[in-house]
């Protein structure tokens, strides 16, 4: 489903507060701010994060191509927090006690409940990156959002400022 900007902000607020573990916080911030697929985050290593250039390179895997995403101020803070909490020698950004995280299902479910946002799945965060990342009327920025399909960008961009009935219609069309 398409998340509204208010829902995205509620999820981010909940992720930035205890008891949210750092790996869930990192996951949510990167998904909403870059639009990459969740599996790319599980494989993300610190060597792919360039704090100086403020970029993250998501390596090519299978048929997918490498993607470079920009790090905005909010994501920069979260990544620095995650780096500070990483055990020495840990190479994975998404880690739990030094081990790479394989699933975020339980943590995300608890987070969505705390944020009071219902019927959300992991993929909704990725699709919502266009909704969250840009201000209304900022089509060039939407078009430059990495890793999100054109159809999701179009649907998110068009639906986010529409009235309730139009928003419901777009959600219905997306299911077809």
């Amino acid at each position: 489903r398409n998340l509204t900007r208010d829902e995205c902000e509620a999820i981010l607020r909940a992720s930035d507060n205890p008891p949210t573990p750092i790996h869930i916080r990192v996951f949510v911030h990167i998904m909403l701010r870059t639009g990459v697929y969740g599996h790319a985050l599980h494989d993300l290593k610190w060597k792919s994060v360039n704090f100086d250039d403020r970029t993250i390179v998501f390596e090519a895997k299978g048929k997918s191509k490498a993607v470079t995403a920009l790090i905005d101020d909010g994501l920069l803070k979260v990544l620095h927090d995650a780096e500070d909490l990483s055990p020495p020698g840990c190479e994975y950004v998404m880690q739990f006690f030094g081990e790479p995280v394989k699933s975020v299902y339980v943590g995300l479910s608890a987070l969505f409940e705390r944020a009071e946002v219902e019927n959300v799945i992991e993929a909704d965060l990725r699709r919502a990156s266009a909704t969250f990342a840009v201000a209304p009327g900022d089509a060039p920025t939407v078009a430059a959002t990495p890793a999100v399909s054109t159809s999701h960008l179009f649907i998110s961009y068009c639906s986010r400022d529409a009235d309730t009935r139009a928003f419901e219609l777009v959600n219905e069309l997306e299911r077809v």
Side-chain angles (χ1 to χ4, degrees):
R1 79 181 184 87
N2 290 301
L3 299 174
T4 66
R5 186 168 185 86
D6 288 343
E7 288 173 322
C8 292
E9 289 171 355
I11 291 168
L12 285 175
R13 274 192 309 276
S15 79
D16 289 338
N17 291 305
T20 305
I22 190 67
H23 67 281
I24 298 297
R25 186 173 169 217
V26 167
F27 188 89
V28 167
H29 276 267
I30 292 178
M31 289 278 284
L32 279 175
R33 295 174 189 280
T34 68
V36 297
Y37 283 93
H39 65 81
L41 296 179
H42 295 290
D43 298 331
L44 182 62
K45 296 182 179 179
W46 285 112
K47 68 180 182 180
S48 298
V49 178
N50 186 323
F51 287 106
D52 295 330
D53 292 343
R54 294 179 72 149
T55 58
I56 302 172
V57 177
F58 296 94
E59 301 296 329
K61 188 173 183 180
K63 294 181 181 179
S64 66
K65 297 178 182 177
V67 174
T68 300
L70 299 177
I71 299 173
D72 66 12
D73 292 340
L75 183 52
L76 184 66
K77 181 183 180 338
V78 170
L79 288 170
H80 276 303
D81 290 349
E83 185 181 45
D84 291 345
L85 294 170
S86 288
C90 182
E91 61 181 332
Y92 288 92
V93 175
M94 292 276 300
Q95 60 84 24
F96 189 71
F97 292 106
E99 295 296 319
V101 173
K102 297 296 179 199
S103 175
V104 292
Y105 180 81
V106 173
L108 285 179
S109 297
L111 173 66
F112 298 148
E113 187 174 315
R114 283 194 308 281
E116 299 179 355
V117 180
E118 297 178 346
N119 303 316
V120 182
I121 61 172
E122 178 183 306
D124 295 333
L125 296 174
R126 186 181 71 79
R127 287 191 293 264
S129 64
T131 301
F132 176 73
V134 299
D138 194 5
T141 304
V142 173
T145 302
V148 181
S149 72
T150 305
S151 61
H152 287 136
L153 284 173
F154 177 76
I155 289 169
S156 294
Y157 182 73
C158 291
S159 66
R160 101 183 134 205
D161 295 319
D163 65 26
T164 305
R165 179 62 195 127
F167 189 76
E168 290 170 1
L169 180 61
V170 168
N171 276 322
E172 285 299 316
L173 288 172
E174 189 175 46
R175 282 184 225 145
V176 175

